[in-house]
């Protein structure tokens, strides 16, 4: 089954459009995980990251559609962290979760093929279901990813309108009335047009931040065949009303990511006293329920 | 000494503006390296990549200014490849070469910090001198890299105008007469303006392809404080005349990358009969001399 159809099936099966962002950071790990780290070696921290993410995965499996490990935090630990990334991806897939590896990779054509192969290919050491990809290098940098998606029933999410305050500097620039992000959307729609699955969606998803609700509505209209990954919910300021425009009339077509608000829920004011560090997984569970409830339209 | 000043010193000391791109690919490795790979494990190939790159480094050290390992090809081998990348970077630095890790990384601010830390930070597992960075996420995605450059005397190279045929799709779009790539250049110039070293250059370099000579001249003028990394020379079609406009009047301000034409020189028609696979390092040496000679203006 194509990635797009698997994502639709996952949303229907779980009744959730939540994507849990797995962004392990040393300083914010709950005390039971952090205190168990022996020494300060990359291997020790990598083991802690694996444990932290895998325990979260066990809590949210069957209750959310997908998880999104952030490559940067694993990369920060060096090769040991990259081993952990692979373990986390494998654990999530075994738990029945779809995996969006957030790497924002890309390069010119022949090198883009290497990235596509690395994360999505037949012999991929990480074996992810999908990968986030940057569009700055244009059409011929995206084609190798689309080809690998075709071969492997994998998916990509192309950056369109990112959630950060400064994203507009390039993305919002208009030429003949069309923004850069809309030009990216046009290309994505073209890629998907010949690749739509039973769900009505194709392999080329997009990233549109929850922090730009107007642009999200605009992009939903311009991207009829594209799953939209919506970051920026929760800690970055986006709320349920801000993301509603990302969905189609069936409640499909978008997944909403929250990282810190779920994985570090034990530190949130509303959960801190009730759960604290000791019961950090109960905080993860409560935050997941809370987000799912907010996103049931 | 700042990265920009170290690069100027390296160009002066070697009399070369050549950057050797280290892009190991299984199928193109010379026979003596490829045939020695036992089995098909990532570890075996990673060891071959390390040997291949390190032998090239030993040949070109003292004769070129810098090397540019391409992360994608190492990533393709999984964590074992990332170990090899670290070994190659360390070997190049020990050999006195400056290292530009080509990862084209970036993300929103707090995650960009993790990437900057991963490749350039105090405790970086890879310990590179510099990193290529994508600008699509705007100013606040670049600031964390610039901060780490300040702390560590490191450098970055921001994608401005890439060498691939499709790069223009977004990069060439004009708003009020200004292209996207020129808007990126403006931001880079601003970052460098308060950070210029004795060489007259700052830590924020740029990438402008040899395949776009007119834009290279334009960017040299708009980027007075930025080292320009010029890919696309050789196998991608750019020649000496195409890159000349990238240099200042002292012959500084740009380094020209060639990957395949140097590292796989044993397969080039002009070297194949003379050296072939058996003497592949002699072919690397001859191709390096050839490129250095072409770029002595």
């Amino acid at each position: 089954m194509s990635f797009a159809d698997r994502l639709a099936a996952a949303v229907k099966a779980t009744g959730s459009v939540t994507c849990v962002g797995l962004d392990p950071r040393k300083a914010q790990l709950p005390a039971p995980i952090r205190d168990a780290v022996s020494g300060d070696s990359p291997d020790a921290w990598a083991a802690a990251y694996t444990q932290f993410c895998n325990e979260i995965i066990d809590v949210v499996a069957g209750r959310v559609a997908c998880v999104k490990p952030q490559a940067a935090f694993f990369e920060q630990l060096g090769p040991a962290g990259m081993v952990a990334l692979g373990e986390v991806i494998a654990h999530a897939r075994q738990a029945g979760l779809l995996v969006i590896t957030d790497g924002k990779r890309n390069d010119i054509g022949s090198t883009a093929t290497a990235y596509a192969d690395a994360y999505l290919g037949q012999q991929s050491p990480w074996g992810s279901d999908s990968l986030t990809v940057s569009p700055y290098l244009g059409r011929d940098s995206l084609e190798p990813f689309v080809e690998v998606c075709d071969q492997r029933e994998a998916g990509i999410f192309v950056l369109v309108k990112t959630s950060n305050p400064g994203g507009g500097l390039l993305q919002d620039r208009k030429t003949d009335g069309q923004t850069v992000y809309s030009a990216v959307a046009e290309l994505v729609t073209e890629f998907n047009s010949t690749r739509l699955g039973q769900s009505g969606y194709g392999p080329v998803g997009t990233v549109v931040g929850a922090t730009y609700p107007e642009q999200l509505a605009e992009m939903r209209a311009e991207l009829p065949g594209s799953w939209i990954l919506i970051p920026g919910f929760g800690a970055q300021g986006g709320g349920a009303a801000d993301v509603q425009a990302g969905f189609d009339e069936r409640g499909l077509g978008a997944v909403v990511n929250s990282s810190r608000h779920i994985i570090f829920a034990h530190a949130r004011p509303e959960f801190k006293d009730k759960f604290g560090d000791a019961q950090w997984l109960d905080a993860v569970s409560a935050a997941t329920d809370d987000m799912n409830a907010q996103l049931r339209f």
Side-chain angles (χ1 to χ4, degrees), chain A residues 24-273:
Chain A
R25 296 164 191 249
K26 288 182 184 177
Q28 287 168 275
L29 293 177
I33 300 281
R34 205 178 56 237
D35 295 348
V37 176
S38 146
D40 191 34
S41 71
D43 282 338
W45 282 108
Y49 280 16
T50 301
Q51 189 191 342
F52 173 67
C53 294
N54 285 359
E55 293 195 15
I56 292 167
I57 286 165
D58 292 340
V59 166
V60 303
R63 297 163 62 189
V64 301
C66 51
V67 292
K68 181 177 74 66
Q70 170 53 259
F73 297 112
F74 294 91
E75 248 165 296
Q76 211 175 359
L77 297 182
M82 298 309 266
V83 172
L85 175 62
E87 289 168 351
V88 168
I89 291 172
H91 190 76
R93 297 194 67 191
Q94 279 159 17
L97 288 161
L98 282 170
V99 178
I100 303 169
T101 298
D102 198 355
K104 299 188 174 60
R105 300 298 199 256
N106 214 347
D107 210 296
I108 64 167
S110 59
T111 308
T113 300
Y115 277 128
D117 193 49
Y119 289 95
L120 307 171
Q122 183 79 42
Q123 295 191 296
S124 164
W126 287 288
S128 184
D129 296 293
S130 64
L131 179 70
T132 59
V133 171
S134 170
Y136 190 73
L137 290 103
R139 171 193 292 267
D140 53 350
S141 73
L142 296 174
E143 282 166 346
F145 289 97
V146 177
E147 281 167 28
V148 171
C149 288
D150 288 344
Q151 293 157 17
R152 298 283 301 150
E153 301 199 314
I156 56 171
F157 290 87
V158 178
L159 301 186
V160 168
K161 174 77 184 154
T162 58
S163 58
N164 58 317
L169 181 77
L170 301 185
Q171 297 161 25
D172 291 356
R173 289 171 65 89
K174 277 189 184 174
T175 306
D176 299 332
Q178 188 192 38
T179 57
V180 165
Y181 69 80
S182 173
V184 178
E186 195 175 295
L187 181 59
V188 168
T189 295
E190 187 198 319
F191 281 130
N192 280 327
S193 64
T194 54
R195 295 178 169 85
L196 301 176
Q198 293 200 322
S199 60
Y201 291 96
V204 188
T206 43
V207 176
V208 183
T211 42
Y212 299 99
E214 275 179 45
Q215 284 81 359
L216 183 57
E218 178 196 350
M219 287 298 97
R220 178 68 291 157
E222 287 190 27
L223 289 161
S226 175
W227 277 95
I228 301 177
L229 168 63
I230 309 177
F233 187 85
Q236 284 184 61
D242 299 317
V243 302
Q244 196 159 2
F247 295 88
D248 69 18
E249 65 288 349
R250 300 168 296 166
L252 296 176
V255 286
V256 182
N257 184 76
S258 178
S259 303
R260 283 166 278 175
H261 253 38
I262 290 184
I263 66 173
F264 302 129
H266 66 278
R268 282 169 64 181
E270 62 268 51
F271 296 127
K272 200 175 170 132
D273 289 342

